[in-house]
Amino acid sequence: MLSIPISRQYLSINSRFIIGSHRSFSSSQSFRNVSTLVFLEHKAGKINSATLSALNLAKSLGGGITGIIVGSSKSSEMNEAIEKAKKLPISKLLVKEDDNLEHVLAEPFAPLIANVTKERSFTHLVGGTTSVTKNIFPRVAALLDVQQISDVMKVIDQETFMRPIYAGNALCTLKSKDSIKVITVRCASFEPITDTSEGEVEIEKLESIQAGQIISNWSSETLTKSERPELGSANRIVSGGRGVKNKENFDSILIPLSDKLNSAIGASRAAVDSGFADNSLQVGQTGKVVSPDLYIAVGISGAIQHLAGMKDSKTIVAINKDPEAPIFQVADVGLVADLFEAVPELTKKI
Amino acid sequence: MRPSLIHQIRVLVPIKRTIDYAVKIRVNSAKTGVETNGVKHSMNPFDEIAVEEAIRLKEKLGEKIESITLLTITSNKKGGQEVLRTGLAMGADSGILIEWPSTKPDCDPEPLSVSKTIQKVIQKLGEKKPDLIICGKQSIDDDSSQVGGMLSGLLNCSLAQYISSIEFDANQMSSAKVSREIDGGIEELKVPLPAVVTTDLRLNEPRYASLPNIMKAKKKSIITYTTEELGIDTNNRFEILKVEEPPKRKGGLKVENVDEVIHKLKEVGAL
């Protein structure tokens, strides 16, 4: 009786995955069907791009994909987000509305997500790498007693993944022995999915599984308002560093170029620390990791920390007056010039 | 509601010894990890910020901060003592060193094991358990960014990650006001103690230890525990199959002027 479904599963799993050299189905858990829960992150009624990247990774695992969307019914934005979620390529949507879930705090969110994952026997829990999942997922993983796999950049098979270490200067391929894989997805490595399904998504309101208690109290938030494309998902980025010298220059030199290119604006840590730009614009190991089609680095030397955040960009342009700056080693197009002359000229001529 | 009783709080700062942030790392020849022999190590930069913040709280709040204890887990005992001494020289009061078995040289404890170990140590401290745990937001070697979050889950206490400020009302030490860096801006929270917070870069700029403080630090106590004493499972959940260098970018092309920049970009279809 047992051998038939197992061999069927074996075949179906096998055909879906890229077969790595270390692949093995010897442990019993490998025979389990893959069943993935994707944490659908939303803000202002929209599902964020990181989630769409996470869905792309989830697809590559094979198996069914269920989405979970969480928030407070008090806000109309939650309803908008649910409508958007229904159009995603998922087979089922779990909805949890609770006033304790109005603000995204780890204490109420983590037990909920951990319990859903466990009770519904999901094999994988997946979310995009954002400040939200970086906050919540480790707490979820601890509650599930599993070792989280952060910032996955490649799926080898359902239990084998590649992730960057040492600021992206080494790539580590690991096999997770945990029965549940808790994964955050390196957004720069997975295209956000664009196909939206028109099929029926089954919706289930979670009643029996409760959110955790609120422990911390949310007071306020201050968001940087911008008409520009969002840094994490922009196709083009113009980024400034210490060489721009001050905030006035940062605005007067970078903004016109950015406007012309319809790009997002980024900054190196030096520029952020010197107050030229808001810290939410920081690109690097400790800020955002981006991979736009075009990255223009202006007055940025190219410290390891910064390169970790942008070296997967398709085309990199560097404008810097120091010909020895490390940024030139990764730039496809390097111009050794005074940025105060070159950037306005570039803006004019594009 | 009446204000809670004023009392002293104890701060615990877990710190990690990592390859120095300025070192260009090399993958080892067996492709099982990075070369660590003869490579400069120092305290993880985010942990330095955590130690600094604990000391600043003590400077500001005086005796309201009863003690600052550092904790490190390492298979390199000498190295672990060194990073603890560095933190003690900055101004922390005492250190705890947990010896990780060195039988598996390329298998550092994973964040889950680290969190469980810290939890065990906290249990051992009993009455003297910490009220505030300040962790770095991530270690610059593994880049996982998990320990603070996991520990808060194991302790079932409040959590505030990626903080850029923390303030106490000296008359009411039962909770802290924090600002945290989130995608798109800043968020403010009030976190009741006990709490785990993790530091972002902008929280502060760590000080250098002065020579007299370095001398003084030699007299401060460091307690050592083994994993057996604490009853810790040292098996890792990950099997590291391979560590390799990322593909090199074919950069390095320099052009003469802005016109050539535009020409090149049009050529590759970026404009």
Side-chain angles (χ1 to χ4, degrees):
Chain A
M1 273 287 282
L2 264 175
S3 70
I4 297 163
I6 286 174
S7 62
R8 257 195 218 134
Q9 270 179 23
Y10 177 82
L11 283 172
S12 68
I13 291 168
N14 221 351
S15 60
R16 269 190 220 116
F17 290 111
I18 308 155
I19 301 170
S21 54
H22 302 282
R23 187 160 172 68
S24 142
F25 283 104
S26 56
S27 67
S28 62
Q29 84 191 35
S30 305
F31 289 102
R32 280 166 61 186
N33 259 326
V34 172
S35 166
T36 304
L37 181 66
V38 177
F39 176 68
L40 306 178
E41 194 179 327
H42 60 101
K43 182 131 201 163
K46 292 195 178 76
I47 307 290
N48 73 2
S49 156
T51 294
L52 302 180
S53 293
L55 277 164
N56 197 349
L57 179 145
K59 273 169 80 175
S60 73
L61 291 168
I65 303 175
T66 301
I68 181 167
I69 190 159
V70 176
S72 163
S73 56
K74 280 197 286 194
S75 82
S76 61
E77 291 174 353
M78 177 68 177
N79 285 329
E80 285 173 47
I82 293 171
E83 288 308 311
K84 300 253 166 60
K86 281 185 197 166
K87 299 197 174 82
L88 296 172
I90 50 178
S91 55
K92 190 170 181 179
L93 178 63
L94 303 176
V95 177
K96 180 67 182 179
E97 288 177 298
D98 187 317
D99 292 348
N100 277 2
L101 300 166
E102 187 180 355
H103 302 294
V104 190
L105 298 169
E107 299 95 318
F109 272 61
L112 171 75
I113 295 164
N115 287 339
V116 172
T117 307
K118 198 156 52 185
E119 286 186 21
R120 305 292 173 100
S121 307
F122 288 106
T123 57
H124 294 70
L125 168 67
V126 177
T129 302
T130 63
S131 62
V132 165
T133 56
K134 279 160 77 180
N135 189 31
I136 298 173
F137 272 38
R139 189 154 170 144
V140 174
L143 296 177
L144 292 170
D145 192 29
V146 306
Q147 173 51 51
Q148 177 185 322
I149 314 159
S150 289
D151 241 4
V152 169
M153 57 189 294
K154 196 171 170 187
V155 174
I156 312 295
D157 65 38
Q158 67 184 72
E159 55 193 18
T160 315
F161 305 91
M162 187 191 274
R163 61 177 299 267
I165 54 174
Y166 290 93
N169 288 301
L171 307 178
C172 175
T173 304
L174 62 92
K175 183 172 166 181
S176 163
K177 292 178 262 186
D178 283 314
S179 59
I180 301 171
K181 324 295 187 220
V182 174
I183 294 169
T184 59
V185 179
R186 187 173 186 263
C187 305
S189 305
F190 293 84
E191 287 280 312
I193 50 126
T194 45
D195 55 329
T196 46
S197 100
E198 293 299 320
E200 273 295 287
V201 174
E202 185 195 336
I203 294 181
E204 183 189 338
K205 295 224 171 200
L206 291 174
E207 304 288 352
S208 60
I209 302 177
Q210 297 304 317
Q213 286 299 312
I214 288 189
I215 307 179
S216 305
N217 288 296
W218 188 90
S219 312
S220 65
E221 72 179 3
T222 316
L223 298 180
T224 315
K225 289 216 165 37
S226 172
E227 298 297 312
R228 295 172 194 290
E230 206 254 320
L231 182 61
S233 56
N235 287 326
R236 292 169 170 176
I237 294 170
V238 172
S239 213
R242 198 195 299 273
V244 180
K245 291 205 171 90
N246 58 46
K247 181 161 172 38
E248 290 69 38
N249 290 341
F250 195 93
D251 291 348
S252 68
I253 302 233
L254 297 191
I255 289 177
L257 178 59
S258 169
D259 285 344
K260 204 90 177 247
L261 292 166
N262 187 29
S263 79
I265 286 189
S268 70
R269 188 189 159 201
V272 170
D273 282 352
S274 310
F276 305 174
D278 188 82
N279 60 33
S280 62
L281 301 185
Q282 186 184 320
V283 172
Q285 182 192 14
T286 56
K288 286 235 165 54
V289 177
V290 299
S291 61
D293 291 337
L294 177 62
Y295 189 90
I296 303 183
V298 177
I300 293 176
S301 63
I304 297 176
Q305 199 287 133
H306 187 76
L307 297 182
M310 46 66 81
K311 66 181 159 63
D312 292 334
S313 304
K314 206 164 150 206
T315 303
I316 297 173
V317 178
I319 300 174
N320 202 307
K321 68 178 177 200
D322 174 13
E324 304 300 323
I327 189 82
F328 286 120
Q329 292 162 21
V330 301
D332 302 284
V333 184
L335 177 63
V336 180
D338 182 352
L339 70 93
F340 297 102
E341 287 164 21
V343 177
E345 187 188 341
L346 179 64
T347 308
K348 213 168 83 191
K349 286 181 171 168
I350 284 174
Chain B
M1 217 170 71
R2 286 173 51 194
S4 321
L5 284 173
I6 306 160
H7 71 295
Q8 292 184 301
I9 67 166
R10 286 171 293 269
V11 183
L12 179 72
V13 185
I15 59 178
K16 185 177 184 182
R17 176 178 181 263
T18 61
I19 291 184
D20 190 82
Y21 72 96
V23 170
K24 189 166 172 15
I25 59 112
R26 267 210 181 84
V27 171
N28 66 19
S29 52
K31 294 201 181 299
T32 53
V34 306
E35 199 51 71
T36 53
N37 279 340
V39 175
K40 187 184 174 198
H41 282 65
S42 47
M43 196 193 300
N44 179 40
F46 293 106
D47 302 346
E48 267 190 319
I49 294 170
V51 175
E52 174 69 31
E53 196 60 25
I55 294 160
R56 288 189 188 192
L57 285 173
K58 191 169 185 179
E59 286 168 349
K60 206 149 89 185
L61 297 161
E63 61 186 17
K64 294 278 162 59
I65 305 290
E66 187 185 312
S67 62
I68 301 169
T69 307
L70 308 178
L71 179 158
T72 199
I73 305 171
T74 179
S75 55
N76 181 326
K77 194 174 174 184
K78 192 166 161 278
Q81 281 169 338
E82 270 167 27
V83 292
L84 285 174
R85 292 286 172 211
T86 305
L88 294 173
M90 286 170 75
D93 300 309
S94 63
I96 299 171
L97 187 145
I98 293 113
E99 279 183 78
W100 202 257
S102 56
T103 45
K104 297 171 266 185
D106 291 315
C107 289
D108 283 336
E110 292 165 349
L112 184 65
S113 315
V114 170
S115 309
K116 286 181 170 178
T117 305
I118 298 172
Q119 183 195 20
K120 281 271 161 80
V121 172
I122 289 172
Q123 279 169 7
K124 226 181 166 65
L125 291 170
E127 289 285 293
K128 293 274 179 194
K129 68 178 187 300
D131 308 279
L132 177 67
I133 302 163
I134 312 179
C135 300
K137 77 163 175 182
Q138 75 191 60
S139 65
I140 58 159
D141 47 4
D142 182 55
D143 284 336
S144 283
S145 194
Q146 294 173 4
V147 168
M150 286 182 158
L151 183 60
S152 79
L154 297 174
L155 300 173
N156 192 28
C157 68
S158 52
L159 170 68
Q161 298 225 62
Y162 317 127
I163 61 165
S164 52
S165 80
I166 177 164
E167 277 172 40
F168 279 93
D169 175 350
N171 296 316
Q172 198 189 346
M173 294 294 292
S174 55
S175 69
K177 224 175 83 182
V178 304
S179 299
R180 26 183 324 252
E181 297 191 6
I182 56 170
D183 292 344
I186 298 281
E187 179 179 77
E188 298 205 336
L189 301 177
K190 197 175 163 196
V191 290
L193 302 184
V196 174
V197 300
T198 71
T199 62
D200 218 315
L201 269 178
R202 270 160 291 272
L203 184 58
N204 62 50
E205 215 160 295
R207 70 193 64 191
Y208 291 102
S210 64
L211 189 62
N213 284 345
I214 293 171
M215 300 313 287
K216 250 193 263 173
K218 293 189 174 165
K219 299 200 184 86
K220 293 179 179 173
S221 90
I222 294 178
I223 305 169
T224 302
Y225 295 115
T226 61
T227 49
E228 286 89 5
E229 279 174 82
L230 295 168
I232 292 167
D233 176 6
T234 58
N235 288 312
N236 279 348
R237 306 290 181 89
F238 288 168
E239 184 188 338
I240 305 298
L241 302 178
K242 190 167 59 175
V243 172
E244 62 199 307
E245 276 178 29
K248 287 250 181 318
R249 264 195 93 94
K250 286 196 288 287
L253 176 82
K254 282 190 187 144
V255 297
E256 289 300 314
N257 55 47
V258 169
D259 291 323
E260 284 183 42
V261 172
I262 294 171
H263 179 73
K264 273 279 164 215
L265 290 182
K266 285 194 170 145
E267 211 175 75
V268 298
L271 276 184

